[in-house]
Amino acid sequence: MLTIGLIGGMSWESSAQYYRLINHAVRARLGGVHSARSLMYSVDFGEIEQLQHAGDWDALTATMIDAAGRLERGGADLFLIRTNTMHMMADAVAASVSIPLLHIADPTAAQVVAAGHRRIGLLGTAFTMEQAFYRDRLTGRFGLDVIVPDEDDRRHVHRIIYDELVAGIVTPASRDIYRQVIARLIDQGAEAIILGCTEIMLLVGAEDSAVPLFDTTAIHAEAAVAQALAGDLAG
């Protein structure tokens, strides 16, 4: 089994879900009391959030490069940036180490395509919904037609992530807002919805949408386990 490295803490609420999902997946595949070989370097999200909203992406890139280097030196064989938004600097971070990065968008988009969907709605932070780094990967590599909520809905989606979900706050009122946003994306022709923030799975599930939801947290975790175990078999 290869050792999975995780850059976590963005937020620790979803990092905890990653740890749980990865270990459940290993136990499901290997049986008994098996668990994953993993390393996590967890950052202080209070510092990350301030830099994000200040637009200091150079400092954030340096932080992610430092974290990836720590994982490599610690013995990780592959690594995950355990947040969609911070994949904005994925290429620079991947280039800074010799171990491979498993990009969160790739296994997600592959599942969407395999399920036969093309026009998809994207939920996430304002950075993920509004900037090109994520949508361009979905369209350029996988041919997906990506739609995002309108400006008011994007503001609500972003606020709930940063004011509530990253602090572990889950409320019926916010779930209703997300349900309404999802419904409006479906009205625009979305055949499926990508939950493009790793905390959104704390708030909504399949019962909240009339079309399939693709949860990047669960998909990324499953893909990491598959790669770790395939590497072991190949080795």
Side-chain angles (χ1 to χ4, degrees), residues 125-187:
T125 67
F127 311 111
T128 299
M129 292 186 290
E130 295 173 0
Q131 299 189 33
F133 72 96
Y134 201 89
R135 288 181 285 111
D136 283 358
R137 195 173 186 100
L138 297 176
T139 57
R141 294 197 174 205
F142 297 92
L144 296 175
D145 179 12
V146 182
I147 57 176
V148 298
D150 65 23
E151 185 176 358
D152 284 344
D153 282 348
R154 292 198 304 271
R155 185 173 64 253
H156 288 306
V157 169
H158 182 87
R159 176 189 61 77
I160 289 167
I161 292 169
Y162 278 91
D163 291 352
E164 300 177 14
L165 299 182
V166 299
I169 299 169
V170 176
T171 69
S174 292
R175 182 175 292 111
D176 285 342
I177 290 172
Y178 268 62
R179 286 172 173 167
Q180 293 166 23
V181 172
I182 289 170
R184 283 189 281 272
L185 288 173
I186 295 170
D187 287 343

Side-chain angles (χ1 to χ4, degrees), residues 105-117 142 214-215 218-220 222-223:
D106 293 348
T108 302
Q111 283 201 19
V112 172
V113 171
H117 306 300
F142 297 92
F214 288 82
D215 171 22
I219 294 170
H220 204 199
E222 288 279 347

Side-chain angles (χ1 to χ4, degrees), residues 25-43:
V26 168
R27 186 167 63 190
R29 286 162 174 74
L30 300 184
V33 293
H34 284 286
S35 58
R37 291 178 179 162
S38 67
L39 298 169
M40 184 183 294
Y41 181 75
S42 190
V43 300

Side-chain angles (χ1 to χ4, degrees), residues 66 77 124 126 132 145 158 164 172 195 204 211 226:
D66 175 70
D77 297 303
D145 179 12
H158 182 87
E164 300 177 14
L195 304 183
V204 297
V211 299

Side-chain angles (χ1 to χ4, degrees):
M1 185 192 308
L2 300 181
T3 299
I4 302 168
L6 302 111
I7 303 178
M10 299 170 285
S11 65
W12 72 258
E13 297 283 349
S14 58
S15 297
Q17 297 301 318
Y18 263 85
Y19 187 75
R20 178 181 61 82
L21 290 165
I22 285 171
N23 283 292
H24 271 295
V26 168
R27 186 167 63 190
R29 286 162 174 74
L30 300 184
V33 293
H34 284 286
S35 58
R37 291 178 179 162
S38 67
L39 298 169
M40 184 183 294
Y41 181 75
S42 190
V43 300
D44 177 1
F45 188 64
E47 297 173 357
I48 298 295
E49 186 271 340
Q50 290 179 2
L51 291 170
Q52 286 177 338
H53 286 101
D56 195 345
W57 297 103
D58 289 341
L60 289 163
T61 299
T63 298
M64 292 298 99
I65 287 174
D66 175 70
R70 290 172 186 266
L71 291 175
E72 182 175 38
R73 293 191 297 274
D77 297 303
L78 66 147
F79 76 105
L80 283 62
I81 300 175
R82 207 229 28 74
T83 160
N84 288 270
T85 296
M86 298 297 277
H87 279 74
M88 187 180 299
M89 64 279 298
D91 290 345
V93 178
S96 72
V97 292
S98 61
I99 58 176
L101 168 67
L102 178 57
H103 196 292
I104 196 169
D106 293 348
T108 302
Q111 283 201 19
V112 172
V113 171
H117 306 300
R118 183 176 181 276
R119 185 170 174 82
I120 55 102
L122 174 63
L123 298 180
T125 67
F127 311 111
T128 299
M129 292 186 290
E130 295 173 0
Q131 299 189 33
F133 72 96
Y134 201 89
R135 288 181 285 111
D136 283 358
R137 195 173 186 100
L138 297 176
T139 57
R141 294 197 174 205
F142 297 92
L144 296 175
D145 179 12
V146 182
I147 57 176
V148 298
D150 65 23
E151 185 176 358
D152 284 344
D153 282 348
R154 292 198 304 271
R155 185 173 64 253
H156 288 306
V157 169
H158 182 87
R159 176 189 61 77
I160 289 167
I161 292 169
Y162 278 91
D163 291 352
E164 300 177 14
L165 299 182
V166 299
I169 299 169
V170 176
T171 69
S174 292
R175 182 175 292 111
D176 285 342
I177 290 172
Y178 268 62
R179 286 172 173 167
Q180 293 166 23
V181 172
I182 289 170
R184 283 189 281 272
L185 288 173
I186 295 170
D187 287 343
Q188 296 177 57
E191 303 164 0
I193 306 293
I194 289 178
L195 304 183
C197 171
T198 53
E199 283 79 28
I200 296 177
M201 55 90 76
L202 301 172
L203 184 65
V204 297
E207 67 278 7
D208 298 303
S209 174
V211 299
L213 300 180
F214 288 82
D215 171 22
T216 52
T217 304
I219 294 170
H220 204 199
E222 288 279 347
V225 169
Q227 188 166 325
L229 294 181
D232 182 50
L233 294 172

